[in-house]
Amino acid sequence: MPDPQWTDLGVMPASGSMHMALDEVLLMRVAAGERGPTLRFWAWTSNTLVLGANQSVGNEVDLVEAGRLGFELTRRMSGGGTMVCEPGRTVTWSLYLPEWMVARMSFRESYAHLDGWALRTLRELGVEAEYRPINEIVIPGGKVAGAAQARRRGAVLHHVTLAYSIEPELVPRLIRIGRPALGRGARSAERVVASLSSLISLTMAEFVAALQEGFARERTVTSGELNGEEWAQAEALVTTKYATEEWIHRLP
């Protein structure tokens, strides 16, 4: 069965906790049949460390460095490792889709499938990009992007964070990679992180536009926006969940 029409919500600036809330709201809207497949690009409004659902803050984050460098903490609903996200330096996007669209694929195959368009766009831009199972895109120099998924009630959230420009030494300063464990919880993998900006001449905004065009070349896409109810649901989730100490500092 061919893919149904997708909606591209464009680039949405928000805080880290709001982005997490929007992911949950849009995933559940797709699960309820109130939205079709949807693409959303994120714009970060503050320096943010995003923990995976099964990680602990104490195990993962150097809180002294995070505070000194002005990084906020948040936690997403999907698994995986901690991501370093910065305004003007980090490109993030989410795909929300009915699970039947990847039903005949293994979990591993679904990652490759849902990242395939981005990989092809990078190659069209002249970047020697490769897919590294299960959830990474690598370029000369190291890992440039990582994906994670959450599945709820027959719907899939697949989101990707890409380092358009990053100081590689920042990652081990903020994330306790290779340091002794301080408790239970999944640890972030030790990876060399590379910046895409050294390989292309596009600005970050131009690169995001190229990604949108690459996505639209392979499927039917229309522009859309959030409605008032979706915004209200996300704002409520920020207050009751994603901005709370209980959620951010919960133990796995």
Side-chain angles (χ1 to χ4, degrees):
M1 181 184 297
D3 283 3
Q5 179 172 285
W6 285 75
T7 299
D8 182 353
L9 296 177
V11 181
M12 303 177 65
S15 66
S17 56
M18 186 61 168
H19 281 308
M20 303 306 122
L22 286 168
D23 264 1
E24 181 171 339
V25 168
L26 290 168
L27 175 64
M28 300 315 296
R29 298 284 282 195
V30 171
E34 297 167 340
R35 265 197 178 274
T38 300
L39 166 67
R40 179 177 74 92
F41 282 89
W42 309 17
W44 295 92
T45 58
S46 58
N47 292 336
T48 307
L49 294 176
V50 184
L51 279 80
N54 301 313
Q55 297 187 301
S56 66
V57 172
N59 234 358
E60 280 297 296
V61 178
D62 187 319
L63 290 172
V64 173
E65 278 293 283
R68 193 175 69 81
L69 297 173
F71 275 81
E72 301 174 0
L73 301 182
T74 190
R75 180 188 298 275
R76 60 185 182 270
M77 63 188 301
S78 64
T82 304
M83 307 303 295
V84 178
C85 303
E86 302 173 273
R89 289 176 173 264
T90 306
V91 177
T92 307
W93 65 88
S94 294
L95 302 175
Y96 316 89
L97 58 147
E99 195 168 9
W100 65 260
M101 293 177 67
V102 293
R104 295 186 178 183
M105 303 175 194
S106 68
F107 196 64
R108 178 181 293 257
E109 290 169 340
S110 74
Y111 272 85
H113 173 69
L114 294 173
D115 283 342
W117 66 275
L119 188 65
R120 289 185 286 274
T121 300
L122 285 167
R123 289 172 175 170
E124 288 166 3
L125 294 173
V127 179
E128 296 178 15
E130 300 291 339
Y131 172 68
R132 182 163 63 191
I134 180 174
N135 66 335
E136 297 179 351
I137 296 175
V138 297
I139 60 174
K143 170 184 173 180
V144 73
Q149 284 188 15
R151 302 191 180 199
R152 302 287 189 277
R153 301 180 186 177
V156 179
L157 160 65
H158 181 94
H159 44 199
V160 179
T161 295
L162 182 146
Y164 175 80
S165 176
I166 192 171
E167 298 175 18
E169 65 274 11
L170 191 64
V171 176
R173 288 174 62 187
L174 292 166
I175 305 174
R176 301 185 65 257
I177 296 171
R179 305 188 208 180
L182 298 178
R184 66 179 185 268
R187 303 297 301 275
S188 293
E190 189 167 355
R191 294 282 192 267
V192 176
V193 178
S195 288
L196 180 65
S197 59
S198 63
L199 300 178
I200 61 174
S201 59
L202 302 178
T203 66
M204 197 172 90
E206 290 169 337
F207 172 62
V208 170
L211 284 174
Q212 290 176 288
E213 292 169 7
F215 187 82
R217 276 197 298 271
E218 300 186 9
R219 52 193 55 79
T220 303
V221 181
T222 186
S223 297
E225 59 185 21
L226 289 182
N227 60 45
E229 183 179 0
E230 289 166 338
W231 274 115
Q233 289 175 337
E235 288 172 345
L237 272 178
V238 169
T239 301
T240 60
K241 182 176 181 179
Y242 287 103
T244 66
E245 292 294 305
E246 291 80 8
W247 171 256
I248 295 170
H249 291 272
R250 72 173 190 163
L251 295 176

